Amino acid sequence: MAQTRRPRRGSRAGTRSGTPRPAPKPPAADGPLVTLDIERVAHGGVFVAHHEGRVVFVADAIPGERVVARVVDQSKDRFWRAETVEVLEASPDRRPHIWAEASVERPPERRAGGAEFGHIHTARQRTLKAEVLVDALARFGGVERDVVVEPVEAALAPGVDLDAGTGWRTRVRLHVGADGSVGPYAARSHTVIPVASVPLAVRALAELAPLADRFAGARAIDLVAPSVGDAALVVVDDDRMPRGPRPTIVERVGDRDFTLDRDGFWQVHRGAAATLTAAVHDLVDGDRFDPRAANHDLYGGVGLLAAAVGDRFGDTVRITSVEADARATEHAGANLADWVGARAVTGRVDRYLDELATSAGPADLARLADATVVLDPPRSGAGRAVVDRLAEVRPRQLVYVACDPVALARDVGLLRAHGYELEALRAFDLFPNTHHVEAVVRLRAIV
């Protein structure tokens, strides 16, 4: 075990992290009680019901159930938000919550957050996530497509209970309350909830978690379990950057090692990096791939997906990884050293593409038009500015890795308006017992 006192940075600059948001208000404990019939799932881990003609978004329910819910937010004219407090008619897909401190038996303001689907059987969780993705693609992307959310293969996730959806998190943040106690935040608030276990964590972190200890004056406790080496406990004191060298770790994917900062971005599920490597490897259309073209890995982090491309097509592949975090870019350069045509560039993706589009000569534009571009943007997606620039340089195919269905669907819609066609899609359950889902799609430029 390693224990140090230093802050944790956001996941990776320009990608998974963003501007800090104001602390959410705790749920109201005195709102009206309403009886609701739950109709369907909505994006964000909540479910849709109606009460006297008004939409109500309900937490901790399942479609087909009848529940009593407490309205906790009536601030919007068009909809309310509510928390289930009693299940009158349970779905056959309901199970005892995998985390006792998040159970519907507890008052909503005392439920641990971070496992909002933990009361639902795992197979049903995946169908609900598929419904959200199907709905988003239809509404925002203009695409009708069936979706199957695939579990992580057992061989890629040793130690993970795939049936229960537990034991998969290799990074855990525990917050510290005013009294020094540690725990997760309550759902949709910044109230620290003491807990007796962390069931989503890999075993090494579950054993390391200091759930009964006090950390007066600290802000948070970060637990990190790399695939190579020992797990670490990091006490986060403040937001100041540390002096001196930053600790690094090694993550192994197949036979390849990736070095990164211990507080840098890496996929959280034990099997996620290998799963996404295989998906990108498979979804790149080999008939359209030109190893000499100006291939790119945008939002490239420490080079995971660029390496997936390189491992498939050989050590002469030309590929540029673009990442806003300078430390991640430094690691990417070293991690991609096997490929003579690989390079890592530090820069915001939108600004990099602006410069690329305005400075490229005829030969450069031809190499870009023949290119394959992999992109793995933050939860907010690539957005219009990046999509417009990509469409301007018009790479032959795009492989888009997304962790938010609505952001993905919006960008698919933007790309379709620029003449790109969605050809292939795979979705993976990389966040069991939460509402999150990962998707990988391939789009091709229509000539």
Side-chain angles (χ1 to χ4, degrees), residues 20-375:
R21 298 176 180 176
K25 297 179 181 179
D30 57 353
L33 291 172
V34 293
T35 299
L36 301 170
D37 293 315
I38 307 302
E39 301 165 16
R40 59 182 175 83
V41 67
H43 179 51
V46 293
F47 300 86
V48 177
H50 285 81
H51 178 70
E52 297 180 350
R54 185 190 305 272
V55 172
V56 184
F57 293 114
V58 189
D60 300 313
I62 305 174
E65 291 189 328
R66 171 166 284 192
V67 304
V68 177
R70 185 176 299 281
V71 178
V72 296
D73 185 354
Q74 297 174 273
S75 62
K76 306 293 185 183
D77 291 334
R78 295 184 297 108
F79 62 86
W80 289 347
R81 294 190 180 276
E83 307 272 0
T84 299
V85 296
E86 182 182 359
V87 180
L88 301 177
E89 297 177 14
S91 165
D93 296 312
R94 181 173 284 273
R95 66 180 179 184
H97 204 290
I98 54 95
W99 201 0
E101 290 88 352
S103 172
V104 73
E105 281 75 27
R106 290 171 65 96
E109 67 275 10
R110 300 302 299 167
R111 294 175 195 165
E116 62 275 8
F117 276 8
H119 61 291
I120 308 172
H121 284 298
T122 304
R124 181 68 169 127
Q125 290 183 36
R126 294 182 190 131
T127 64
L128 291 170
K129 295 177 186 187
E131 289 174 25
V132 170
L133 187 49
V134 167
D135 179 68
L137 286 170
R139 292 174 58 200
F140 302 105
V143 175
E144 301 286 343
R145 180 173 289 267
D146 292 334
V147 173
V148 175
V149 175
E150 305 172 41
V152 174
E153 293 182 16
L156 302 181
V160 176
D161 187 332
L162 296 178
D163 291 331
T166 56
W168 54 269
R169 286 196 70 102
T170 61
R171 274 87 173 146
V172 172
R173 166 158 284 198
L174 298 171
H175 302 280
V176 179
D179 62 353
S181 62
V182 301
Y185 281 144
R188 294 166 289 280
S189 90
H190 281 182
T191 301
V192 174
I193 304 298
V195 295
S197 66
V198 280
L200 299 190
V202 297
R203 178 177 295 181
L205 296 189
E207 295 173 350
L208 185 62
L211 301 177
D213 295 345
R214 301 276 174 157
F215 293 84
R219 191 164 57 86
I221 306 297
D222 283 331
L223 306 172
V224 182
S227 55
V228 177
D230 296 331
L233 182 156
V234 182
V235 180
V236 182
D237 286 328
D238 52 44
D239 288 319
R240 294 175 296 176
M241 289 300 298
R243 297 179 181 180
R246 293 169 60 184
T248 60
I249 57 174
V250 174
E251 295 283 2
R252 182 164 297 150
V253 182
D255 296 328
R256 184 169 296 283
D257 287 348
F258 294 85
T259 299
L260 63 148
D261 288 346
R262 185 178 60 195
D263 60 355
F265 174 78
W266 189 255
Q267 293 290 337
V268 174
H269 191 293
R270 173 62 80 203
T275 298
L276 294 177
T277 292
V280 169
H281 183 284
D282 293 344
L283 280 181
V284 172
D285 186 337
D287 292 336
R288 296 195 187 105
F289 186 83
D290 182 349
R292 298 163 299 178
N295 304 300
H296 280 76
D297 175 19
L298 304 180
Y299 313 94
V302 297
L304 174 69
L305 301 183
V309 176
D311 278 336
R312 178 175 173 188
F313 294 103
D315 58 10
T316 61
V317 164
R318 179 180 179 183
I319 191 165
T320 300
S321 174
V322 182
E323 168 58 54
D325 187 321
R327 285 284 295 174
T329 307
E330 181 181 340
H331 290 306
N335 293 334
L336 299 174
D338 287 1
W339 295 277
V340 295
R343 67 185 185 117
V345 175
T346 300
R348 276 181 38 172
V349 169
D350 55 348
R351 294 174 182 173
Y352 174 85
L353 291 176
D354 282 345
E355 183 177 351
L356 192 68
T358 56
S359 64
D364 297 320
L365 289 173
R367 284 191 290 269
L368 286 165
D370 291 336
T372 294
V373 172
V374 178
L375 61 159

